[in-house]
Amino acid sequence: MLAKGDTLTNMSEIPKAYEPGQIEKKWYKFWLEQGYFTPHIDPNKKPFVIIMPPPNVTGELHLGHALTTTFEDIMTRWHRMKGEPTLWLPGTDHAGIATQVVVEQGLAKQGLSKNDIGREAFLNATWDWVKKSRGTINQQHQMLGASCDWTRERFTLDAGPYRAVRTAFVRLYDKGLIYRGERIINWCPRCQTALSDLEVEHKDVAGSLYYIRYPLVDEGGFVTIATTRPETFFGDTAVAVNPQDPRYKNLVGKQVILPIINKTIPIIADEAVDVSFGTGALKITPAHDPTDFEVAERHNLPLVNIMNPDATMNENTGAYQGLERFACRDKVLADLRDRDLLEKIEPYLHSVGHCNRCQMMIEPAISLQWFIRTQPLAEAAIKAVRDHNITIIPKHFTKVYFDWMENIRDWCISRQLWWGHRIPVWYCQACSKLTVSTDEPKTCIHCGSEQVVQDPDVLDTWFSSALWTHSTLGWPDDTDDLSYFYPTSVMVTGYDILFFWVARMIMMGLEDTGKIPFRNVYLNGLVRDKSGEKMSKLRGNVINPLEAISKYGVDALRLALTAGNSPGNDINLGAGKLESSRNFVNKIWNASRFILQNIDTEALKSQALPVDFIANGAERPANPALSKLQMEDRWIDSQLNRLVSDVTQMMGEFQFGEAAQRIYEFVWSKFCDWYIEIAKMRLRNQSTPSPLPFLVNVLEKSLRLLHPFMPFITEELWQTLRMTLLRSARNNSMSMPDSIMIAPYPVANNEAIDLEAEQVMDSTIEIIRSIRNARAQHKVRADRWVEAYIYADEFLPKLIPQTEIIEKLARVQPLAILSHRERKPEKEEALVLVLKEAEVLLPWAGIVDRVTEKQRLAKEIEMTKTRIAQLDARLRDSAFLSKAPPQIIEKEKQRLDVLEDKLKRLHQELCQLAPPNKQED
């Protein structure tokens, strides 16, 4: 704890520039040492809980992790400031395929393979690599400001989650929901393992459609089939046609001869055949196509596997055995052509599945694998969302969730890997029966034989991930953490893994605990580049979050990822947005520096204004003395409380991006650009009452509002302000928390909402802004004062007290604020600005030389007309339109639109310069 008078910040002098690096390290170390991240169980309070989506231990964090981490930290810090026991539990995922691929690549550089060193040595090497990677990932999370409870950190292969995985598997097996069977699965020849449908990335490939003649048995002629994969014809066990296709009705039941290998197969009829594809006759290869597998089951066709696990041809292909699949394709086509059985080849664009880890084309293959019957689990998961026990944010993803869950297929959970949770099944060599157990058996439970061998495969990584929300809290044991922190509050993740992970967590959470795993699902979008393109190393548009932090600071990166972002929407991020966020960081720093350097502790004490607004963690009650205040003081107080109210509502509705944007706009514009500039005038004049109490109050509350979004700079500035306020407190009776992190989040005082002050100051700002715009439009020098007249009626008494503010900030002198009745016909021409509550007149003599300006505008109008005529003629030229690329034509049309808009504005400016009743055409 910090004692009164102690601080981590040297408050005697705030540096001129904000240097984030050392400040970020200092405060994160302080937070850790104080134990602020570790919640305590309080039965009288409802906790807020997030279980971190565990990043794969395959390398450094990327922007997607930074985005998710930032939103999770915003929620965590906000709820902590609300006084709730707040747990954000961190962890990492063993990432089966991804990690094994990385370690194998490392071995390959040494000229070794996993088989060369054996399973045990390979696993030891993987553990060594994982330990280093986990440390790197945790360090990077801390760099981002993640306020996780590191005392509860978990890894999917830790002892607790390991036992949870085995327990879940055995329970599902005992209930008949896990089974072993032959099915068509997605096989990766490179990773040498099965993949779930969700682990397959489909890409459009420019391939070919091959038309092959299959000779009819015992009669002349052929049946021509069309296929994209001629190399698989060795596994054909039928040719199928649609029973409604008149072209082939007389051929159903007859037989054809497989070319080259001269094998006889039947012609069958099945509704699955699309009559519009190719010739309407399809080869049926049930061991290598999921649709063909279903056809084979309906017609009791045999399955013929023709490939080895590495995608070379096996013994069922005769002379082609040993050829790689695409080399085999080339040889088959050449042989068919020699026999005049290759009718034709057509270009064909089709979608082909690829392994999402190594990007190799997957091979649909028949294989003996372990599966989960997902439909019974899906029914409960659908009901949980339909009954609003779980809310998906944004809502439109709810329909996507239902569509997928209602058409769910059994989940292949076995992987032919070494790294991961080994399947807890043992095969008896004596009686051939299975022992499924959470603990390693010494003997077969059926016959007592000691000859039991464990299944060599491991479980799909997503199986252990599906248990993450409860395995991390101690399940299957009934721990205090599980009882108090489960179900969790919200799961934050990308919309792209809604089915990979979120749906499976809901299914397994309900199955294992009988309770939902979380109450809300907050889906992020993807981080794209500034043009909306997907980031990739190939495009060279990837932003490394560590490099961004080094250049801009953590708070700037977090704000850039947050402000204006909406749930489920992709975010565009480039250098411009990062620079803008860094500018905001500097704006806050400079504003705070100004206020802190001008604080007069005696003035604060004498005015009895908000120096004790966080007495013992409570918001200061309304002070009766506030009734006689300067209009701008009333205005900024009203705007601040309105902001607090709006932000609190937005945060509760998960609109964090909008909340950040609103705070940004308030601090930058209303507070810094307007209130502080007005306050500077009062401070220079040493006028009373001093604006310092309001400067301090707004700054302090703004820092607390911003803290969940920008934790480091807000802690640094708040600590400096805290020590100043503690020193200025009367009788030394004031107390404040030791950190902004545990200070209460601001609460709106609705009594401070002041409609009159808002109307007056909004009108004053509108007047100043309109005069500034006129000065800029007509290029009036910044140091030049211009004459101005402001006319109003009912609003007049409220505007007159703002005379000095308008004069100084708009640089107008002389300035007259009059009623419309006092307005006299202008002796000279003036620019008239009609506003909401007033009318502003700026005599032209004080702004521009009318004659010279009219001549300039007339000349520019003629030049613009000439360019418009040239472009218009070009766009009417048939020769240009027929030869120019579409993008060039579109670009010229856009240029024409811009010029026509410019001409319109030039005419408007010329009309403003013309005297009444003598305006130019």
Side-chain angles (χ1 to χ4, degrees):
M1 299 286 287
L2 287 175
K4 192 172 289 184
D6 294 337
T7 179
L8 289 175
T9 302
N10 179 5
M11 59 80 55
S12 61
E13 181 180 352
I14 184 168
K16 187 172 183 180
Y18 176 59
E19 299 293 342
Q22 290 305 311
I23 288 173
E24 291 162 0
K25 292 176 183 176
K26 172 182 70 175
W27 287 118
Y28 200 89
K29 183 173 181 287
F30 170 70
W31 296 330
L32 277 176
E33 290 172 348
Q34 297 303 311
Y36 292 148
F37 301 162
T38 302
H40 301 288
I41 294 174
D42 183 347
N44 298 316
K45 291 184 177 181
K46 182 179 178 181
F48 176 81
V49 186
I50 295 179
I51 308 295
M52 176 188 286
N56 291 347
V57 285
T58 49
E60 297 181 340
L61 298 182
H62 54 67
L63 272 181
H65 294 121
L67 178 68
T68 299
T69 299
T70 297
F71 276 110
E72 288 176 318
D73 196 44
I74 288 168
M75 297 180 204
T76 301
R77 289 178 183 270
W78 180 53
H79 283 274
R80 189 184 290 120
M81 292 177 79
K82 290 171 68 180
E84 301 169 18
T86 303
L87 172 62
W88 182 15
L89 191 151
T92 43
D93 195 299
H94 66 277
I97 295 178
T99 301
Q100 180 156 324
V101 167
V102 171
V103 177
E104 284 188 65
Q105 288 172 345
L107 288 173
K109 291 177 182 178
Q110 304 171 44
L112 298 171
S113 72
K114 70 179 192 297
N115 295 317
D116 293 332
I117 64 173
R119 186 165 191 152
E120 185 177 353
F122 178 80
L123 291 178
N124 289 335
T126 307
W127 272 111
D128 290 341
W129 187 86
V130 163
K131 287 172 186 175
K132 295 177 185 176
S133 181
R134 281 180 70 186
T136 299
I137 289 170
N138 290 345
Q139 180 186 18
Q140 290 171 358
H141 269 122
Q142 293 180 11
M143 284 181 66
L144 287 164
S147 56
C148 307
D149 182 2
W150 295 105
T151 67
R152 287 180 167 92
E153 187 216 350
R154 297 289 183 269
F155 179 52
T156 49
L157 285 177
D158 281 346
Y162 189 83
R163 191 161 71 89
V165 165
R166 285 198 165 188
T167 302
F169 185 98
V170 172
R171 287 186 179 187
L172 290 171
Y173 180 83
D174 289 344
K175 293 175 73 171
L177 293 176
I178 284 183
Y179 66 93
R180 193 180 190 219
E182 274 198 329
R183 294 286 185 277
I184 284 284
I185 51 92
N186 305 298
W187 180 265
C188 175
R190 159 61 188 81
C191 299
Q192 295 273 298
T193 185
L195 305 174
S196 71
D197 290 343
L198 293 173
E199 293 169 302
V200 176
E201 181 181 334
H202 285 86
K203 301 178 183 179
D204 286 337
V205 173
S208 299
L209 195 59
Y210 305 94
Y211 290 78
I212 303 172
R213 295 169 176 160
Y214 284 21
L216 286 161
V217 175
D218 297 331
E219 55 186 279
F222 306 90
V223 173
T224 301
I225 61 93
T227 180
T228 58
R229 306 205 57 198
E231 69 276 12
T232 64
F233 89 99
F234 300 104
D236 290 0
T237 55
V239 168
V241 297
N242 192 294
Q244 306 303 319
D245 192 337
R247 294 174 294 178
Y248 301 110
K249 277 193 173 182
N250 63 326
L251 295 181
V252 174
K254 295 186 177 182
Q255 294 183 317
V256 293
I257 299 171
L258 274 182
I260 302 175
I261 60 175
N262 297 321
K263 175 183 174 182
T264 300
I265 58 174
I267 299 174
I268 63 173
D270 195 281
E271 295 284 352
V273 177
D274 179 1
V275 296
S276 65
F277 177 79
T279 63
L282 299 182
K283 60 195 286 296
I284 301 300
T285 319
H288 295 278
D289 184 276
T291 303
D292 292 2
F293 178 82
E294 294 172 1
V295 171
E297 284 195 318
R298 288 193 290 272
H299 295 271
N300 199 28
L301 297 174
L303 309 179
V304 179
N305 177 28
I306 62 164
M307 284 193 195
N308 296 313
D310 62 355
T312 57
M313 311 311 287
N314 67 16
E315 67 280 2
N316 290 323
T317 61
Y320 298 81
Q321 183 176 356
L323 288 177
E324 190 274 334
R325 55 183 165 171
F326 298 117
C328 179
R329 176 183 296 181
D330 293 339
K331 180 168 173 50
V332 165
L333 291 172
D335 290 347
L336 288 171
R337 191 176 286 109
D338 289 345
R339 292 167 170 77
D340 196 27
L341 295 175
L342 182 61
E343 189 170 295
K344 62 178 177 177
I345 303 174
E346 293 179 345
Y348 186 67
L349 182 68
H350 61 135
S351 181
V352 178
H354 292 73
C355 173
N356 69 352
R357 293 299 178 191
C358 71
Q359 298 303 309
M360 177 167 278
M361 192 181 95
I362 62 102
E363 193 62 51
I366 193 73
S367 181
L368 187 62
Q369 301 285 345
W370 287 96
F371 295 85
I372 292 181
R373 300 185 202 279
T374 48
Q375 189 172 355
L377 302 176
E379 289 171 0
I382 291 169
K383 187 175 187 300
V385 176
R386 186 157 282 143
D387 290 350
H388 306 291
N389 296 319
I390 297 175
T391 301
I392 298 176
I393 304 162
K395 284 184 179 180
H396 66 262
F397 278 103
T398 304
K399 183 180 183 302
V400 180
Y401 171 85
F402 287 144
D403 288 346
W404 189 78
M405 293 293 279
E406 288 166 356
N407 295 284
I408 197 168
R409 297 171 63 178
D410 284 358
W411 174 14
C412 176
I413 56 170
S414 48
R415 298 291 181 271
Q416 289 63 53
L417 302 170
W418 287 355
W419 174 247
H421 288 274
R422 197 161 172 183
I423 292 174
V425 174
W426 286 261
Y427 304 97
C428 180
Q429 305 299 295
C431 70
S432 300
K433 291 185 179 179
L434 308 184
T435 297
V436 181
S437 172
T438 54
D439 300 316
E440 189 162 345
K442 296 187 183 303
T443 61
C444 172
I445 61 172
H446 302 286
C447 70
S449 170
E450 295 181 358
Q451 293 181 302
V452 288
V453 178
Q454 188 175 3
D455 193 306
D457 293 349
V458 300
L459 289 165
D460 179 10
T461 297
W462 295 104
F463 186 92
S464 55
S465 298
L467 314 182
W468 189 240
T469 52
H470 50 286
S471 68
T472 52
L473 296 172
W475 186 89
D477 295 330
D478 187 16
T479 63
D480 290 342
D481 274 6
L482 185 67
S483 298
Y484 185 67
F485 293 116
Y486 188 90
T488 66
S489 306
V490 60
M491 174 52 63
V492 183
T493 189
Y495 63 70
D496 54 328
I497 56 172
L498 178 60
F499 311 123
F500 264 118
W501 191 37
V502 176
R504 288 166 173 171
M505 278 191 289
I506 296 173
M507 289 191 291
M508 295 304 295
L510 287 165
E511 173 65 21
D512 290 341
T513 71
K515 298 177 182 178
I516 56 174
F518 31 71
R519 297 180 182 88
N520 298 285
V521 178
Y522 181 92
L523 298 175
N524 291 324
L526 304 177
V527 184
R528 299 181 179 274
D529 72 7
K530 62 182 180 180
S531 304
E533 295 291 332
K534 188 173 181 179
M535 289 188 180
S536 71
K537 292 180 180 178
L538 189 63
R539 290 192 180 100
N541 59 353
V542 173
I543 295 177
N544 184 320
L546 301 183
E547 293 175 2
I549 288 171
S550 176
K551 186 172 182 179
Y552 303 102
V554 172
D555 290 323
L557 174 62
R558 287 171 61 122
L559 183 66
L561 288 168
T562 308
N565 193 357
S566 298
N569 288 342
D570 293 348
I571 176 175
N572 295 352
L573 184 67
K577 194 168 185 181
L578 287 164
E579 288 166 6
S580 175
S581 296
R582 182 179 59 188
N583 292 343
F584 181 66
V585 170
N586 292 335
K587 188 92 167 178
I588 300 167
W589 183 263
N590 292 333
S592 302
R593 187 168 181 267
F594 166 77
I595 294 167
L596 289 163
Q597 288 178 336
N598 281 278
I599 284 181
D600 180 344
T601 57
E602 294 304 316
L604 288 174
K605 290 178 183 178
S606 65
Q607 291 188 59
L609 282 170
V611 296
D612 56 341
F613 47 97
I614 307 186
N616 299 316
E619 293 290 329
R620 170 184 162 84
N623 190 324
L626 299 182
S627 57
K628 295 183 179 180
L629 295 172
Q630 295 291 94
M631 191 64 74
E632 61 267 23
D633 295 341
R634 291 166 54 191
W635 169 74
I636 198 65
D637 195 39
S638 177
Q639 291 287 291
L640 174 63
N641 280 281
R642 191 181 292 280
L643 174 71
V644 170
S645 177
D646 291 346
V647 165
T648 300
Q649 180 178 342
M650 291 172 189
M651 299 280 270
E653 295 173 351
F654 293 89
Q655 296 294 333
F656 305 108
E658 184 60 28
Q661 189 66 33
R662 291 288 290 277
I663 300 171
Y664 175 98
E665 291 167 357
F666 170 84
V667 172
W668 187 292
S669 178
K670 293 175 182 176
F671 185 46
C672 293
D673 285 355
W674 291 106
Y675 185 76
I676 289 180
E677 292 307 309
I678 295 170
K680 286 179 181 178
M681 295 163 47
R682 292 165 62 187
L683 290 171
R684 280 194 293 267
N685 298 337
Q686 297 184 336
S687 59
T688 56
S690 169
L692 274 172
F694 284 91
L695 286 168
V696 170
N697 185 40
V698 176
L699 173 62
E700 193 279 336
K701 283 192 172 71
S702 296
L703 292 174
R704 279 190 282 149
L705 284 171
L706 272 170
H707 177 71
F709 304 92
M710 306 171 72
F712 293 108
I713 189 172
T714 52
E715 182 75 274
E716 176 75 8
L717 293 172
W718 192 86
Q719 289 285 354
T720 307
L721 185 59
R722 170 182 178 272
M723 295 312 301
T724 304
L725 295 175
L726 289 174
R727 289 185 180 187
S728 68
R730 287 163 297 174
N731 302 320
N732 223 21
S733 60
M734 179 182 178
S735 66
M736 290 175 68
D738 289 332
S739 169
I740 192 173
M741 175 182 288
I742 55 173
Y745 205 70
V747 177
N749 175 10
N750 292 329
E751 294 180 5
I753 303 297
D754 190 330
L755 298 179
E756 180 189 35
E758 290 182 351
Q759 185 182 26
V760 171
M761 290 308 299
D762 287 349
S763 180
T764 302
I765 289 169
E766 184 186 31
I767 289 168
I768 295 168
R769 186 176 282 133
S770 67
I771 296 172
R772 286 176 171 177
N773 290 342
R775 292 174 63 107
Q777 180 181 346
H778 297 288
K779 300 179 178 61
V780 178
R781 293 197 321 271
D783 62 350
R784 182 176 175 181
W785 295 80
V786 299
E787 185 178 2
Y789 297 87
I790 300 174
Y791 297 100
D793 289 323
E794 297 85 357
F795 215 64
L796 184 63
K798 297 176 182 178
L799 279 179
I800 289 175
Q802 312 310 316
T803 299
E804 184 181 4
I805 293 174
I806 297 171
E807 281 182 342
K808 295 294 192 294
L809 298 185
R811 293 192 70 78
V812 289
Q813 251 180 15
L815 169 64
I817 302 180
L818 308 166
S819 71
H820 280 98
R821 294 190 303 275
E822 299 175 87
R823 181 174 178 179
K824 298 176 182 179
E826 287 75 22
K827 294 181 181 179
E828 54 183 319
E829 296 138 7
L831 172 63
V832 180
L833 308 171
V834 180
L835 308 178
K836 185 177 180 181
E837 304 289 353
E839 195 173 25
V840 178
L841 270 69
L842 302 175
W844 283 117
I847 299 176
V848 294
D849 180 334
R850 280 185 58 250
V851 174
T852 303
E853 183 66 6
K854 284 176 67 177
Q855 290 174 347
R856 184 190 71 79
L857 288 172
K859 184 177 180 180
E860 192 163 356
I861 285 171
E862 289 306 312
M863 289 174 60
T864 305
K865 284 181 177 179
T866 300
R867 291 172 64 193
I868 287 173
Q870 292 170 342
L871 265 178
D872 186 61
R874 190 177 193 193
L875 289 169
R876 293 175 184 274
D877 184 357
S878 57
F880 169 74
L881 294 174
S882 63
K883 295 177 181 178
Q887 63 269 26
I888 297 297
I889 296 172
E890 182 60 31
K891 190 175 181 180
E892 294 294 82
K893 287 179 178 178
Q894 291 173 1
R895 286 180 59 201
L896 181 60
D897 290 342
V898 169
L899 286 172
E900 288 175 339
D901 180 65
K902 180 181 179 181
L903 182 63
K904 182 180 177 181
R905 287 186 285 106
L906 288 170
H907 276 300
Q908 288 172 347
E909 288 186 42
L910 190 59
C911 287
Q912 287 180 331
L913 289 170
N917 303 321
K918 295 182 181 179
Q919 292 183 346
E920 304 289 339
D921 292 335

